[in-house]
Amino acid sequence: MSRPSTFVPPPGARAYALRTERGEFAVVDAPVADGVEPRGVALLLPGFTGSKEDFNPLHIPLAERGYRTVAVDGRGQFESDGPVADEAAYAQEELARDVLAQAEAIGAPVHLLGHSLGGQITRAAVLLDHTPFRSLTLMSSGPAQISTSQQERVKLLRDALAVMSMAEVWEAIQAMEPPEETQTPSLDSGLDDRDDLRRRWLCTKPAQLSATGRQLCTEPDRVAELAAVPLPFHVLSGSRDDTWPLPLLDEMAVRLRARRTVVEGAEHSPNTDRPAATARAIADFWDTAAR
């Protein structure tokens, strides 16, 4: 999972419930920095087990480049409501239609960015209707299903969710994590980062995790369909990724005729691993896409 350094929105950003024709979604909305000419608006979707807070490190540097950024919890993620047990509510097309409604609510056309699972949901949204979008950035999100090793981890999670509570699964995950993954620094507020991560986990609906986990393990290759869409594309990743190997992402970028960015020193979550370099690459692409 992405591990944001803080769950507190950055200065100037506002957390609220975005009203759309498909319901309300929790967002962090960061305006353009004072004195900077507005250049556009972007909608940011998090990945599997993630949330809108995963983009906290990107808001300020993107605001300084002239971009208003709206990061959203998808249906059933963290602070956005959704059914506890009805997996049909989390079918990919349903989540994609949520994205279209979110874009309309914040003021289309917008730049669209999806991280990991969020990338596959944004792709589905664009394939339904590309007109609300100015560009699409796929961040650490590959052409089809996740790697075999990650499929095995997702299967373990889905099996556990079938027989255990979310709290019990969280404790099991912590027991299995290497020590360096569970020992995280304290926040300025005095709360341990793990408290916020646990709260996010417990608020996420188990049906959302089960349904989207299945999607990650069975997603077909839809790159050819996407390549036919008249939008600028950007494929961005860290320099190491166990979920989709880099050669797959490189090949996908070629097939999409997309800009390709590799953020050195980052892994599956360049947004939290190397936020300054990641934000710079994203804004550079948006500047070009706008032209």
Side-chain angles (χ1 to χ4, degrees), residues 19-60:
R19 294 183 178 180
T20 80
E21 63 178 13
R22 290 178 63 84
E24 294 187 348
F25 298 89
V27 301
V28 171
D29 188 337
V32 175
D34 290 344
V36 176
E37 180 182 355
R39 299 185 64 88
V41 181
L43 178 62
L44 316 177
L45 271 71
F48 188 61
T49 75
S51 68
K52 60 192 178 302
E53 287 74 19
D54 296 343
F55 299 108
N56 277 351
L58 301 184
H59 288 301
I60 288 179

Short mmCIF file of all heavy atoms in Angstrom, two decimals, residues 19-60:
data_model
loop_
_atom_site.label_atom_id
_atom_site.label_comp_id
_atom_site.label_asym_id
_atom_site.label_seq_id
_atom_site.Cartn_x
_atom_site.Cartn_y
_atom_site.Cartn_z
N ARG A 19 -20.27 16.25 -4.19
CA ARG A 19 -21.57 15.76 -4.62
C ARG A 19 -21.58 15.54 -6.13
O ARG A 19 -21.20 16.42 -6.89
CB ARG A 19 -22.67 16.75 -4.23
CG ARG A 19 -22.88 16.89 -2.73
CD ARG A 19 -24.02 17.82 -2.41
NE ARG A 19 -24.25 17.92 -0.98
CZ ARG A 19 -25.21 18.68 -0.43
NH1 ARG A 19 -26.02 19.40 -1.22
NH2 ARG A 19 -25.36 18.71 0.88
N THR A 20 -22.01 14.37 -6.53
CA THR A 20 -22.12 14.04 -7.95
C THR A 20 -23.47 13.38 -8.20
O THR A 20 -24.20 13.04 -7.26
CB THR A 20 -21.00 13.06 -8.40
OG1 THR A 20 -21.36 11.72 -8.02
CG2 THR A 20 -19.66 13.42 -7.77
N GLU A 21 -23.76 13.15 -9.48
CA GLU A 21 -25.03 12.49 -9.82
C GLU A 21 -25.03 11.03 -9.41
O GLU A 21 -26.07 10.37 -9.44
CB GLU A 21 -25.30 12.61 -11.31
CG GLU A 21 -24.28 11.91 -12.19
CD GLU A 21 -24.60 12.02 -13.66
OE1 GLU A 21 -25.46 12.84 -14.03
OE2 GLU A 21 -23.98 11.27 -14.45
N ARG A 22 -23.87 10.50 -9.00
CA ARG A 22 -23.78 9.11 -8.54
C ARG A 22 -23.46 9.02 -7.05
O ARG A 22 -22.98 8.00 -6.58
CB ARG A 22 -22.73 8.36 -9.37
CG ARG A 22 -23.19 8.13 -10.82
CD ARG A 22 -22.13 7.43 -11.64
NE ARG A 22 -21.80 6.10 -11.17
CZ ARG A 22 -22.47 5.00 -11.49
NH1 ARG A 22 -23.54 5.06 -12.28
NH2 ARG A 22 -22.09 3.81 -11.03
N GLY A 23 -23.72 10.08 -6.33
CA GLY A 23 -23.50 10.07 -4.89
C GLY A 23 -22.36 10.98 -4.48
O GLY A 23 -21.81 11.74 -5.29
N GLU A 24 -21.99 10.91 -3.20
CA GLU A 24 -20.93 11.74 -2.65
C GLU A 24 -19.64 10.95 -2.53
O GLU A 24 -19.65 9.76 -2.20
CB GLU A 24 -21.34 12.29 -1.28
CG GLU A 24 -22.51 13.25 -1.33
CD GLU A 24 -22.77 13.90 0.01
OE1 GLU A 24 -22.20 13.45 1.03
OE2 GLU A 24 -23.55 14.88 0.05
N PHE A 25 -18.52 11.65 -2.79
CA PHE A 25 -17.20 11.04 -2.70
C PHE A 25 -16.29 11.96 -1.89
O PHE A 25 -16.26 13.18 -2.12
CB PHE A 25 -16.61 10.81 -4.10
CG PHE A 25 -17.41 9.86 -4.94
CD1 PHE A 25 -18.45 10.32 -5.74
CD2 PHE A 25 -17.15 8.50 -4.90
CE1 PHE A 25 -19.21 9.44 -6.50
CE2 PHE A 25 -17.91 7.61 -5.66
CZ PHE A 25 -18.94 8.08 -6.46
N ALA A 26 -15.54 11.38 -0.97
CA ALA A 26 -14.61 12.16 -0.17
C ALA A 26 -13.42 12.58 -1.03
O ALA A 26 -12.84 11.76 -1.75
CB ALA A 26 -14.12 11.34 1.02
N VAL A 27 -13.07 13.87 -0.96
CA VAL A 27 -11.97 14.39 -1.76
C VAL A 27 -11.06 15.28 -0.92
O VAL A 27 -11.46 15.79 0.13
CB VAL A 27 -12.46 15.20 -2.99
CG1 VAL A 27 -13.33 14.35 -3.89
CG2 VAL A 27 -13.20 16.46 -2.55
N VAL A 28 -9.84 15.45 -1.39
CA VAL A 28 -8.95 16.53 -0.97
C VAL A 28 -8.73 17.40 -2.20
O VAL A 28 -8.25 16.93 -3.22
CB VAL A 28 -7.60 16.00 -0.43
CG1 VAL A 28 -6.63 17.15 -0.21
CG2 VAL A 28 -7.82 15.24 0.88
N ASP A 29 -9.13 18.65 -2.09
CA ASP A 29 -9.15 19.58 -3.21
C ASP A 29 -8.15 20.70 -2.93
O ASP A 29 -8.32 21.47 -1.99
CB ASP A 29 -10.57 20.14 -3.34
CG ASP A 29 -10.80 20.97 -4.59
OD1 ASP A 29 -9.81 21.51 -5.14
OD2 ASP A 29 -11.96 21.13 -5.00
N ALA A 30 -7.09 20.76 -3.74
CA ALA A 30 -6.03 21.74 -3.53
C ALA A 30 -6.05 22.77 -4.66
O ALA A 30 -5.90 22.41 -5.84
CB ALA A 30 -4.66 21.06 -3.49
N PRO A 31 -6.24 24.06 -4.34
CA PRO A 31 -6.32 25.09 -5.38
C PRO A 31 -4.95 25.44 -5.93
O PRO A 31 -3.90 25.06 -5.37
CB PRO A 31 -6.93 26.27 -4.62
CG PRO A 31 -6.42 26.10 -3.23
CD PRO A 31 -6.39 24.62 -2.98
N VAL A 32 -4.96 26.19 -7.02
CA VAL A 32 -3.72 26.72 -7.58
C VAL A 32 -3.07 27.65 -6.56
O VAL A 32 -3.75 28.36 -5.80
CB VAL A 32 -4.01 27.48 -8.89
CG1 VAL A 32 -2.78 28.16 -9.43
CG2 VAL A 32 -4.61 26.52 -9.92
N ALA A 33 -1.75 27.65 -6.50
CA ALA A 33 -1.03 28.49 -5.53
C ALA A 33 -1.28 29.97 -5.80
O ALA A 33 -1.51 30.39 -6.94
CB ALA A 33 0.46 28.19 -5.61
N ASP A 34 -1.26 30.76 -4.73
CA ASP A 34 -1.46 32.20 -4.84
C ASP A 34 -0.44 32.82 -5.80
O ASP A 34 0.75 32.50 -5.74
CB ASP A 34 -1.31 32.87 -3.47
CG ASP A 34 -2.48 32.54 -2.54
OD1 ASP A 34 -3.51 32.06 -3.03
OD2 ASP A 34 -2.32 32.73 -1.31
N GLY A 35 -0.94 33.68 -6.69
CA GLY A 35 -0.06 34.39 -7.61
C GLY A 35 0.36 33.60 -8.82
O GLY A 35 1.14 34.09 -9.64
N VAL A 36 -0.14 32.36 -8.94
CA VAL A 36 0.22 31.51 -10.08
C VAL A 36 -0.94 31.45 -11.06
O VAL A 36 -2.10 31.32 -10.66
CB VAL A 36 0.58 30.09 -9.61
CG1 VAL A 36 0.87 29.18 -10.80
CG2 VAL A 36 1.77 30.13 -8.66
N GLU A 37 -0.63 31.59 -12.34
CA GLU A 37 -1.68 31.54 -13.36
C GLU A 37 -2.26 30.13 -13.45
O GLU A 37 -1.51 29.16 -13.61
CB GLU A 37 -1.11 31.93 -14.72
CG GLU A 37 -2.14 31.90 -15.84
CD GLU A 37 -1.53 32.26 -17.19
OE1 GLU A 37 -0.34 32.62 -17.23
OE2 GLU A 37 -2.26 32.16 -18.19
N PRO A 38 -3.58 29.96 -13.34
CA PRO A 38 -4.18 28.63 -13.45
C PRO A 38 -3.94 28.02 -14.83
O PRO A 38 -4.09 28.67 -15.86
CB PRO A 38 -5.68 28.91 -13.22
CG PRO A 38 -5.72 30.21 -12.49
CD PRO A 38 -4.57 31.01 -13.03
N ARG A 39 -3.58 26.74 -14.81
CA ARG A 39 -3.30 26.04 -16.06
C ARG A 39 -4.22 24.85 -16.29
O ARG A 39 -4.25 24.30 -17.39
CB ARG A 39 -1.84 25.57 -16.09
CG ARG A 39 -0.83 26.70 -16.00
CD ARG A 39 0.60 26.16 -16.17
NE ARG A 39 0.81 25.60 -17.49
CZ ARG A 39 1.20 26.29 -18.54
NH1 ARG A 39 1.41 27.60 -18.43
NH2 ARG A 39 1.38 25.71 -19.71
N GLY A 40 -4.94 24.45 -15.25
CA GLY A 40 -5.84 23.32 -15.44
C GLY A 40 -6.25 22.69 -14.14
O GLY A 40 -5.83 23.09 -13.06
N VAL A 41 -7.13 21.68 -14.26
CA VAL A 41 -7.65 20.94 -13.12
C VAL A 41 -7.37 19.46 -13.36
O VAL A 41 -7.43 18.99 -14.50
CB VAL A 41 -9.17 21.16 -12.97
CG1 VAL A 41 -9.71 20.41 -11.76
CG2 VAL A 41 -9.48 22.65 -12.86
N ALA A 42 -7.07 18.72 -12.28
CA ALA A 42 -6.77 17.30 -12.42
C ALA A 42 -7.53 16.49 -11.38
O ALA A 42 -7.71 16.91 -10.24
CB ALA A 42 -5.28 17.05 -12.27
N LEU A 43 -7.97 15.31 -11.80
CA LEU A 43 -8.63 14.34 -10.93
C LEU A 43 -7.68 13.17 -10.71
O LEU A 43 -7.19 12.58 -11.68
CB LEU A 43 -9.93 13.87 -11.58
CG LEU A 43 -10.75 12.81 -10.85
CD1 LEU A 43 -11.22 13.32 -9.49
CD2 LEU A 43 -11.94 12.38 -11.70
N LEU A 44 -7.42 12.83 -9.44
CA LEU A 44 -6.43 11.82 -9.08
C LEU A 44 -7.09 10.65 -8.38
O LEU A 44 -7.76 10.83 -7.36
CB LEU A 44 -5.37 12.44 -8.16
CG LEU A 44 -4.81 13.82 -8.54
CD1 LEU A 44 -3.83 14.30 -7.48
CD2 LEU A 44 -4.16 13.79 -9.92
N LEU A 45 -6.88 9.43 -8.90
CA LEU A 45 -7.49 8.22 -8.32
C LEU A 45 -6.42 7.33 -7.71
O LEU A 45 -5.42 7.00 -8.37
CB LEU A 45 -8.23 7.42 -9.40
CG LEU A 45 -9.70 7.78 -9.62
CD1 LEU A 45 -9.80 9.15 -10.31
CD2 LEU A 45 -10.38 6.70 -10.44
N PRO A 46 -6.63 6.89 -6.45
CA PRO A 46 -5.64 6.05 -5.78
C PRO A 46 -5.74 4.59 -6.19
O PRO A 46 -6.65 4.19 -6.92
CB PRO A 46 -6.01 6.23 -4.30
CG PRO A 46 -7.49 6.47 -4.32
CD PRO A 46 -7.76 7.25 -5.58
N GLY A 47 -4.81 3.81 -5.68
CA GLY A 47 -4.74 2.40 -6.02
C GLY A 47 -5.40 1.49 -5.01
O GLY A 47 -6.09 1.93 -4.09
N PHE A 48 -5.18 0.20 -5.18
CA PHE A 48 -5.73 -0.85 -4.32
C PHE A 48 -5.23 -0.66 -2.90
O PHE A 48 -4.03 -0.49 -2.68
CB PHE A 48 -5.28 -2.21 -4.88
CG PHE A 48 -5.90 -3.40 -4.23
CD1 PHE A 48 -7.26 -3.60 -4.27
CD2 PHE A 48 -5.10 -4.35 -3.61
CE1 PHE A 48 -7.83 -4.74 -3.68
CE2 PHE A 48 -5.66 -5.48 -3.02
CZ PHE A 48 -7.03 -5.67 -3.06
N THR A 49 -6.13 -0.70 -1.93
CA THR A 49 -5.89 -0.46 -0.50
C THR A 49 -5.46 0.98 -0.21
O THR A 49 -5.09 1.30 0.92
CB THR A 49 -4.85 -1.42 0.12
OG1 THR A 49 -3.53 -1.06 -0.28
CG2 THR A 49 -5.15 -2.87 -0.23
N GLY A 50 -5.52 1.88 -1.20
CA GLY A 50 -5.06 3.25 -1.02
C GLY A 50 -6.19 4.20 -0.72
O GLY A 50 -7.33 3.81 -0.44
N SER A 51 -5.88 5.50 -0.81
CA SER A 51 -6.88 6.54 -0.57
C SER A 51 -6.37 7.85 -1.14
O SER A 51 -5.22 7.97 -1.58
CB SER A 51 -7.16 6.70 0.92
OG SER A 51 -6.03 7.23 1.60
N LYS A 52 -7.22 8.86 -1.06
CA LYS A 52 -6.89 10.19 -1.57
C LYS A 52 -5.64 10.76 -0.91
O LYS A 52 -4.91 11.57 -1.52
CB LYS A 52 -8.07 11.13 -1.35
CG LYS A 52 -8.47 11.29 0.10
CD LYS A 52 -9.80 12.00 0.25
CE LYS A 52 -10.24 12.13 1.70
NZ LYS A 52 -10.35 10.82 2.42
N GLU A 53 -5.34 10.35 0.33
CA GLU A 53 -4.18 10.88 1.04
C GLU A 53 -2.85 10.46 0.41
O GLU A 53 -1.82 11.08 0.68
CB GLU A 53 -4.22 10.43 2.51
CG GLU A 53 -5.25 11.14 3.36
CD GLU A 53 -6.68 10.69 3.08
OE1 GLU A 53 -6.87 9.58 2.50
OE2 GLU A 53 -7.62 11.43 3.44
N ASP A 54 -2.89 9.45 -0.44
CA ASP A 54 -1.66 9.03 -1.13
C ASP A 54 -1.10 10.13 -2.02
O ASP A 54 0.09 10.12 -2.35
CB ASP A 54 -1.93 7.79 -1.99
CG ASP A 54 -2.33 6.58 -1.17
OD1 ASP A 54 -2.09 6.59 0.06
OD2 ASP A 54 -2.90 5.64 -1.74
N PHE A 55 -1.94 11.09 -2.39
CA PHE A 55 -1.50 12.19 -3.25
C PHE A 55 -1.15 13.45 -2.48
O PHE A 55 -0.81 14.47 -3.09
CB PHE A 55 -2.59 12.49 -4.29
CG PHE A 55 -2.90 11.34 -5.20
CD1 PHE A 55 -4.08 10.63 -5.08
CD2 PHE A 55 -1.99 10.93 -6.16
CE1 PHE A 55 -4.37 9.56 -5.90
CE2 PHE A 55 -2.26 9.86 -7.00
CZ PHE A 55 -3.45 9.17 -6.87
N ASN A 56 -1.23 13.40 -1.15
CA ASN A 56 -0.92 14.61 -0.36
C ASN A 56 0.43 15.23 -0.73
O ASN A 56 0.54 16.46 -0.82
CB ASN A 56 -0.95 14.29 1.13
CG ASN A 56 -2.36 14.34 1.71
OD1 ASN A 56 -3.31 14.76 1.04
ND2 ASN A 56 -2.52 13.89 2.95
N PRO A 57 1.49 14.44 -0.96
CA PRO A 57 2.78 15.06 -1.27
C PRO A 57 2.83 15.76 -2.62
O PRO A 57 3.77 16.52 -2.88
CB PRO A 57 3.76 13.86 -1.25
CG PRO A 57 3.06 12.79 -0.50
CD PRO A 57 1.61 12.98 -0.79
N LEU A 58 1.85 15.50 -3.50
CA LEU A 58 1.88 16.08 -4.85
C LEU A 58 1.13 17.40 -4.95
O LEU A 58 1.36 18.18 -5.88
CB LEU A 58 1.27 15.10 -5.86
CG LEU A 58 1.93 13.73 -6.00
CD1 LEU A 58 1.24 12.95 -7.12
CD2 LEU A 58 3.42 13.85 -6.27
N HIS A 59 0.22 17.67 -4.02
CA HIS A 59 -0.67 18.82 -4.19
C HIS A 59 0.08 20.15 -4.28
O HIS A 59 -0.17 20.96 -5.19
CB HIS A 59 -1.68 18.88 -3.04
CG HIS A 59 -2.74 17.83 -3.10
ND1 HIS A 59 -3.60 17.70 -4.16
CD2 HIS A 59 -3.08 16.86 -2.21
CE1 HIS A 59 -4.43 16.69 -3.93
NE2 HIS A 59 -4.13 16.16 -2.76
N ILE A 60 0.99 20.40 -3.35
CA ILE A 60 1.65 21.71 -3.33
C ILE A 60 2.54 21.92 -4.56
O ILE A 60 2.43 22.97 -5.22
CB ILE A 60 2.43 21.91 -2.02
CG1 ILE A 60 1.45 22.11 -0.86
CG2 ILE A 60 3.39 23.10 -2.12
CD1 ILE A 60 2.10 22.28 0.50
#
